[in-house]
Amino acid sequence: MKHVRSKFKGFHKPFNKCYGTINPFPVLPPIDFTPPPYKGPSYEKAQSMQAQNVFPQRQMYEEPLLLYTGKMQWLFDHNGKRYLDMFGGIATVSVGHCHPRITNAIARQAANLNHVSAVYEHPKLYEYVEKLVSKMPEDLNTVYLVNSGSEANQLALQLARLYTGNQDVVSIQNCYHGVAGSLHGLTALSATRYNQPVGHSLHHTMCPDVFKGIWGGKNCRDSPSQTLRACKCSKNNCWAADKYYDQLEQLFTYSLPRAQVAGFFAESIQGVGGVVQFPKGYLKKAYELIKSNGGLCVADEVQTGFGRTGEHFWNFQSHGVTPDIVTMAKGIGNGFPMAAVVTTSEIAKSLNPGFHFNTFGGNPVACAVGIEVLEVIEDEKMQQNSLEVGTYFIEKLCGMRREWSVIGDVRGKGLMIGVELVDKKHDESDTGIPTSPLSSRAISRIKNDCSKMGLLIGIGGARSNVLRFMPPMCVTKDDVDFTIAVLRRALQNYYEAKFRNNL
């Protein structure tokens, strides 16, 4: 095997007789940071304790990563190996690992007041609430602070039922709203289910997925990337949205008590389900139907909020809707365990007849973190960075889609991006509906290869065949270029393994 110099500085292209010139070996962008020495338990002890003393968790990689420190978009393992974090703890690290302003805010507040519980008042609570509601539509002015997205959605479910006096709640197939209590039934992904009852009066309408659903195509998404399917829709009228809306109406016709629905939950872009975007106009019509039948509309902004999608601070704004309740978590605290439910003062009063309490909600340190996150997003223009770098990334991925048949779809907005991998792009009919998701073995191979080259990504979708990218919002175009180089190399490795009949 001989080597030729790449046009990319720092890369070499090996020549392979079977495949010709293959993709360059990626080189991590340089950084001005040296991690401190690792002083924790040995890797072997950590794996032993994980197996014997910790509740079982699905491991991301064949060789689990023992991560111990981070800096902005970078993570380091126990050996000091550096990784570009393009998953951000599932859209959780919003402004960067160990961002100095966040760590300083934690230290200042912890030195002053660490915890008093919600039965007392403290100034940081009001400072944070004032900043948060300034980002919301005018009537959404009442905040309940909690600790996780699941807890926020559980409270939103309770509020919808208390306020309306109704019980039936609708969500969308392929959604993820958490797996605590009744949320097991609200979430509509079989991988999250146990063989147990999951709550009452919970219904799922058809997922309006314009890539592999029944309807949709190249004119349907509010995204820099459209599907390659043919489409009956025009730029001003989405026929697919109308057809999926008809399915929601059918649910009302056959499964719900007339004009007695409690609420409707929707992620403005489905996250765990594989970064699925709804056709333009669908959510607006769905909201109108829910409200005309007595229900409240809940926007789950747990993964999409805080400027991640670029054009708007909350992605429900891109749909032209105003929810009755908004739930948020993850990026709200840059990894600090906090979340919130924001609604109108009238809906919030529904909790008054009973007793609802959270010991740690509104914790002074959490509020200090929340304030700093909002200020960093604004001061460092991270929402704008999400738009510019995210669009650049999507365009690069679309270029790869034209080159690699395994890439069936590229979708998303800002720094919330999904790449769906398929074994065969289209069926034999003229529908353009994709068939055969790429096998789990192949996905595992690609994901592990990326990790070995220093790139951390997520996996999602009902068939776990979607690569998910939700990095800290401080990533750069150089980071994107590195990511693209790694993906190219990982896909080349996949094709080589397939050629050798190893996959």
Side-chain angles (χ1 to χ4, degrees):
M1 181 178 290
K2 66 178 181 179
H3 291 75
V4 294
R5 189 69 178 172
S6 167
K7 65 180 179 180
F8 297 98
K9 185 178 180 181
F11 293 162
H12 290 81
K13 288 186 177 180
F15 184 84
N16 183 289
K17 291 183 179 179
C18 295
Y19 292 92
T21 302
I22 66 174
N23 295 302
F25 295 110
V27 177
L28 286 161
I31 63 169
D32 184 18
F33 176 76
T34 301
Y38 176 70
K39 297 181 180 179
S42 69
Y43 185 82
E44 292 73 21
K45 182 177 180 179
Q47 300 317 302
S48 174
M49 293 190 68
Q50 178 66 43
Q52 299 179 31
N53 306 110
V54 179
F55 261 74
Q57 297 286 338
R58 294 179 182 177
Q59 293 295 331
M60 281 286 290
Y61 301 102
E62 292 173 354
E63 296 182 8
L65 299 182
L66 181 57
L67 302 171
Y68 83 101
T69 193
K71 184 67 173 179
M72 300 306 283
Q73 62 266 50
W74 303 101
L75 288 168
F76 298 83
D77 71 11
H78 66 292
N79 289 320
K81 179 178 177 180
R82 178 160 58 107
Y83 300 85
L84 175 61
D85 182 10
M86 290 297 283
F87 198 32
I90 317 178
T92 300
V93 181
S94 49
V95 300
H97 293 283
C98 302
H99 191 293
R101 287 180 56 175
I102 305 300
T103 56
N104 289 339
I106 292 171
R108 286 195 305 270
Q109 185 57 46
N112 187 48
L113 183 65
N114 188 46
H115 175 73
V116 292
S117 194
V119 296
Y120 300 102
E121 298 179 358
H122 63 85
K124 284 297 175 187
L125 172 66
Y126 305 113
E127 291 174 29
Y128 180 57
V129 166
E130 183 177 36
K131 280 188 174 294
L132 186 60
V133 298
S134 72
K135 298 289 188 180
M136 307 300 298
E138 184 176 1
D139 290 340
L140 298 177
N141 56 15
T142 306
V143 180
Y144 200 111
L145 295 173
V146 293
N147 307 121
S148 72
S150 290
E151 190 177 0
N153 281 325
Q154 188 70 54
L155 177 56
L157 179 63
Q158 185 176 6
L159 280 170
R161 285 173 166 167
L162 286 171
Y163 180 77
T164 63
N166 302 328
Q167 296 299 309
D168 290 83
V169 177
V170 179
S171 62
I172 299 172
Q173 289 174 349
N174 197 55
C175 70
Y176 182 88
H177 299 291
V179 288
S182 297
L183 300 182
H184 273 289
L186 190 67
T187 290
L189 286 165
S190 63
T192 67
R193 295 297 186 91
Y194 293 96
N195 187 20
Q196 293 179 330
V198 291
H200 66 90
S201 305
L202 300 169
H203 311 267
H204 306 133
T205 190
M206 180 183 287
C207 179
D209 183 347
V210 300
F211 171 60
K212 56 183 179 290
I214 300 174
W215 305 287
K218 61 184 179 180
N219 294 313
C220 296
R221 285 187 189 138
D222 173 29
S223 171
S225 176
Q226 301 290 341
T227 74
L228 300 178
R229 293 170 60 182
C231 189
K232 296 182 179 179
C233 309
S234 66
K235 290 186 177 181
N236 298 320
N237 181 54
C238 185
W239 176 79
D242 294 339
K243 299 300 289 184
Y244 287 114
Y245 171 79
D246 289 344
Q247 295 300 305
L248 178 59
E249 277 197 322
Q250 293 295 307
L251 187 67
F252 274 81
T253 300
Y254 297 110
S255 302
L256 295 171
R258 190 176 300 275
Q260 293 184 27
V261 67
F264 173 69
F265 278 69
E267 304 159 270
S268 54
I269 298 176
Q270 291 184 330
V272 175
V275 194
V276 172
Q277 294 177 276
F278 307 142
K280 291 177 287 188
Y282 170 80
L283 207 57
K284 189 175 183 68
K285 295 187 69 174
Y287 269 39
E288 291 169 355
L289 179 63
I290 297 298
K291 292 185 177 185
S292 68
N293 281 273
L296 300 182
C297 295
V298 181
D300 182 330
E301 290 281 331
V302 169
Q303 295 191 29
T304 49
F306 296 91
R308 173 162 294 279
T309 59
E311 290 181 346
H312 302 281
F313 202 79
W314 312 107
N315 200 57
F316 67 74
Q317 295 169 306
S318 70
H319 294 274
V321 299
T322 301
D324 300 293
I325 303 172
V326 181
T327 61
M328 57 194 75
K330 293 187 180 292
I332 191 174
N334 196 50
F336 200 90
M338 62 183 299
V341 177
V342 183
T343 187
T344 67
S345 57
E346 182 182 1
I347 294 171
K349 291 175 183 176
S350 303
L351 290 178
N352 290 349
F355 178 74
H356 189 89
F357 183 72
N358 181 293
T359 299
F360 299 105
N363 172 273
V365 180
C367 290
V369 169
I371 291 168
E372 203 66 33
V373 167
L374 291 174
E375 292 181 351
V376 169
I377 291 172
E378 182 174 349
D379 294 346
E380 300 185 10
K381 297 180 172 30
M382 289 198 173
Q383 181 180 337
Q384 182 64 27
N385 192 63
S386 291
L387 178 61
E388 292 177 0
V389 175
T391 302
Y392 176 78
F393 192 12
I394 291 171
E395 290 171 352
K396 291 283 187 179
L397 290 167
C398 287
M400 288 187 66
R401 179 176 58 177
R402 290 189 290 269
E403 302 170 18
W404 302 84
S405 62
V406 71
I407 297 179
D409 193 32
V410 175
R411 51 185 178 254
K413 293 183 67 177
L415 289 173
M416 184 171 184
I417 300 169
V419 177
E420 185 149 352
L421 302 183
V422 295
D423 188 52
K424 188 169 61 174
K425 259 190 178 174
H426 303 300
D427 61 18
E428 295 178 357
S429 69
D430 294 328
T431 64
I433 297 175
T435 59
S436 303
L438 197 63
S439 71
S440 59
R441 188 179 175 193
I443 294 290
S444 180
R445 169 65 184 265
I446 292 168
K447 176 183 65 176
N448 281 288
D449 275 359
C450 287
S451 172
K452 291 173 183 176
M453 288 183 276
L455 176 68
L456 303 183
I457 62 176
I459 301 296
R463 302 293 183 88
S464 298
N465 67 314
V466 180
L467 309 183
R468 296 167 66 197
F469 301 92
M470 303 179 188
M473 295 189 293
C474 57
V475 293
T476 67
K477 291 182 179 180
D478 285 343
D479 299 329
V480 169
D481 291 341
F482 170 74
T483 300
I484 293 294
V486 170
L487 290 175
R488 287 181 179 280
R489 182 69 185 182
L491 291 181
Q492 183 67 51
N493 291 344
Y494 157 71
Y495 276 108
E496 287 188 355
K498 187 175 182 181
F499 179 80
R500 295 191 300 265
N501 295 320
N502 289 341
L503 283 174

